[in-house]
Amino acid sequence: MRRVLLIAAAAAFGIAFTGSLLAQQGGIGGPGRDAPRLRGPEPFTRETPAPPMQRAITDDVRRRRNYPDQPPLIPHAIEGYALDLNANKCLSCHSRRFTEQSQAPMVSVTHYQDRDGNFLGGIAPRRYACLGCHVPQTTAQPLVDNSFTDLDDISEPERRSR
C-alpha cells in the first residue's frame, strides 16, 4: 500500500512540475504560441465592477446562416421571456398553431421528433429549451479575433470574384 501511495505522489509531483515548467515557457507550443486567454483582472481576487450589459439587436432582420444546419439567430429582444416546465414564450409565436397570426417562422419539423426520429404530438423535450441552440444578438465586440471563412467562400470562390 505504501508503494502505491509513493508512486502516486511521485506522479502527482511530476505532473505539477511539468505544468509549472510549461507555464513558464509560454505553454505547450512555446512562447507566443499559446491560445488566446480570456482573463479577468490581475490578480483574480481583485474585485472589479461588472461590465455594462450590451444592447440587444432588435431589428427583426433574419440573419444569413454561416453553415448548413446552423440554428437561426434570434433577431429580437427576449428579456423577460418565460421558459420553464409550464411555459415557453417562444412557442406563443413560433409554434405551428400561431405562425399565421404572428408571421414568425415556424419551428422546424425536427423539433417535433424524438431522438429516434419518431414524430411527436408536440415539441420534443430535448428541443423545448430554445436558448440551448438559438442565441440573441448584441452589440458586443468579439473577445477574440474571428478567422471564420463562410462555406460559400470556400466552395464557390469564383462566383464571389465576379
Side-chain angles (χ1 to χ4, degrees):
M1 181 69 173
R2 286 185 189 182
R3 185 174 184 179
V4 172
L5 289 174
L6 185 60
I7 292 172
F13 175 76
I15 291 170
F17 177 75
T18 304
S20 173
L21 188 60
L22 285 173
Q24 290 174 5
Q25 294 176 353
I28 293 174
R33 297 175 195 247
D34 206 5
R37 301 232 184 262
L38 304 177
R39 300 192 314 193
E42 296 286 335
F44 71 92
T45 55
R46 190 178 86 217
E47 288 188 32
T48 58
M53 294 291 292
Q54 297 295 318
R55 198 171 55 81
I57 296 176
T58 59
D59 56 11
D60 285 340
V61 174
R62 293 175 77 176
R63 304 288 189 251
R64 185 172 147 238
R65 299 183 200 190
N66 292 315
Y67 56 89
D69 298 328
Q70 174 188 352
L73 303 173
I74 302 172
H76 57 80
I78 59 168
E79 186 176 338
Y81 274 31
L83 178 60
D84 57 34
L85 288 175
N86 301 316
N88 182 334
K89 173 68 173 154
C90 302
L91 295 177
S92 66
C93 293
H94 294 279
S95 70
R96 180 178 169 84
R97 183 168 34 160
F98 299 118
T99 56
E100 186 176 346
Q101 60 199 77
S102 70
Q103 294 298 301
M106 185 182 84
V107 294
S108 166
V109 294
T110 60
H111 290 58
Y112 292 90
Q113 292 176 298
D114 65 11
R115 68 181 65 204
D116 297 322
N118 302 315
F119 282 93
L120 306 173
I123 297 291
R126 67 189 187 124
R127 299 291 186 114
Y128 187 77
C130 307
L131 297 176
C133 298
H134 304 278
V135 294
Q137 298 302 287
T138 69
T139 57
Q141 295 300 309
L143 297 174
V144 295
D145 290 335
N146 183 357
S147 60
F148 176 80
T149 302
D150 186 87
L151 179 63
D152 291 337
D153 293 338
I154 295 170
S155 62
E156 301 177 24
E158 66 279 356
R159 269 186 153 174
R160 299 258 185 218
S161 62
R162 289 183 195 171

